[in-house]
Amino acid sequence: LGIVSLIYACFASKSTPDRAFYLLPARFWELAAGALLFKLHSNNGFLPKSKQVSGLLLACGFAVLSAGFLFADQKAFPFPWALVPVTGTVLLISSVVSSADKPSRLQRLLSASVVTYIGKISYSLYLWHWPVSALLRWTIGFNTPSSALLYLTVIFVLAVASFHCIETPIRTSQYLRSRKNWKIILGGITVVLLGFTAARFIVQEKPKISLSVTKDE
């Protein structure tokens, strides 16, 4: 599925760039990369065994990730430029979880509790960053240091709240663990379909329900 998604992203990035950027089919391969890396690590694969190899992965990971930040073409996203930060992240994670002895200072820093906590809530941060950014842009603006600080504070608070109050309870729910798998899958599909229906309704009825005064559709 990850390979299929990557191939689709290759074509969609040129033909329908908005769909490729925003919708899951062209982005699933990025999530699949993390899932596959987890499976490899679970089976002791792609784990450097020496400090030298681990350090090399760390350096390459930072270099590739930095290249993505500095040189990415927003008109060629998610393909091919999303490949760069995804590859860099894979290298960094493999370096940090290395089985090599005596990790470097940078590896210890990336493994520190504060940093790993940010990593745990990173998906929550990702989910919240866009709606909060859009709200600020259309209200108080988003071009001053104070608004940027407010932005970071709000998304961090929301991410922490949703991680501990929604994600973790669901993930560790004994009730859900005791249900049959097909019921869990059916429930997930139902939630996705309800979300899709609601989103489609909002888009179609936007002229009637929107409070925005802009003419920019």
Side-chain angles (χ1 to χ4, degrees):
L1 288 175
I3 292 172
V4 170
S5 171
L6 180 59
I7 294 173
Y8 173 73
C10 176
F11 291 99
S13 295
K14 297 179 181 179
S15 58
T16 53
D18 286 350
R19 288 177 176 269
F21 187 87
Y22 287 109
L23 301 183
L24 181 62
R27 293 300 198 129
F28 176 76
W29 65 270
E30 299 174 51
L31 299 172
L36 290 170
L37 184 65
F38 172 75
K39 294 301 292 182
L40 282 171
H41 287 173
S42 298
N43 292 283
N44 293 318
F46 204 64
L47 286 172
K49 299 296 190 289
S50 69
K51 185 177 181 180
Q52 290 74 18
V53 175
S54 181
L56 179 62
L57 284 184
L58 186 69
C60 290
F62 268 116
V64 172
L65 199 60
S66 299
F69 275 109
L70 295 173
F71 304 114
D73 181 2
Q74 61 180 349
K75 294 181 180 180
F77 214 90
F79 189 90
W81 275 102
L83 281 166
V84 179
V86 170
T87 301
T89 302
V90 165
L91 294 173
L92 280 176
I93 292 174
S94 295
S95 170
V96 172
V97 300
S98 165
S99 59
D101 294 330
K102 297 181 179 179
S104 65
R105 290 182 179 178
L106 186 54
Q107 287 171 311
R108 291 198 298 270
L109 174 63
L110 292 175
S111 301
S113 57
V114 173
V115 180
T116 54
Y117 180 77
I118 294 174
K120 288 180 179 180
I121 66 169
S122 61
Y123 194 70
S124 302
L125 286 168
Y126 162 72
L127 292 177
W128 282 113
H129 89 277
W130 182 256
V132 174
S133 172
L135 184 63
L136 287 177
R137 287 182 189 277
W138 292 112
T139 52
I140 65 173
F142 200 30
N143 54 359
T144 64
S146 59
S147 62
L149 180 60
L150 175 65
Y151 169 68
L152 292 174
T153 303
V154 170
I155 63 170
F156 190 84
V157 170
L158 289 173
V160 170
S162 62
F163 177 78
H164 288 287
C165 300
I166 300 175
E167 293 178 45
T168 300
I170 291 176
R171 189 180 296 114
T172 59
S173 170
Q174 293 300 318
Y175 173 80
L176 292 178
R177 289 175 182 271
S178 65
R179 302 300 97 180
K180 294 184 179 297
N181 286 341
W182 70 267
K183 291 184 178 180
I184 301 298
I185 294 172
L186 182 61
I189 293 174
T190 301
V191 171
V192 170
L193 291 177
L194 288 173
F196 170 77
T197 303
R200 190 173 185 180
F201 171 80
I202 291 172
V203 171
Q204 291 175 340
E205 301 298 322
K206 183 165 58 175
K208 297 179 182 179
I209 64 178
S210 176
L211 300 177
S212 176
V213 295
T214 180
K215 294 180 180 179
D216 183 359
E217 284 292 327

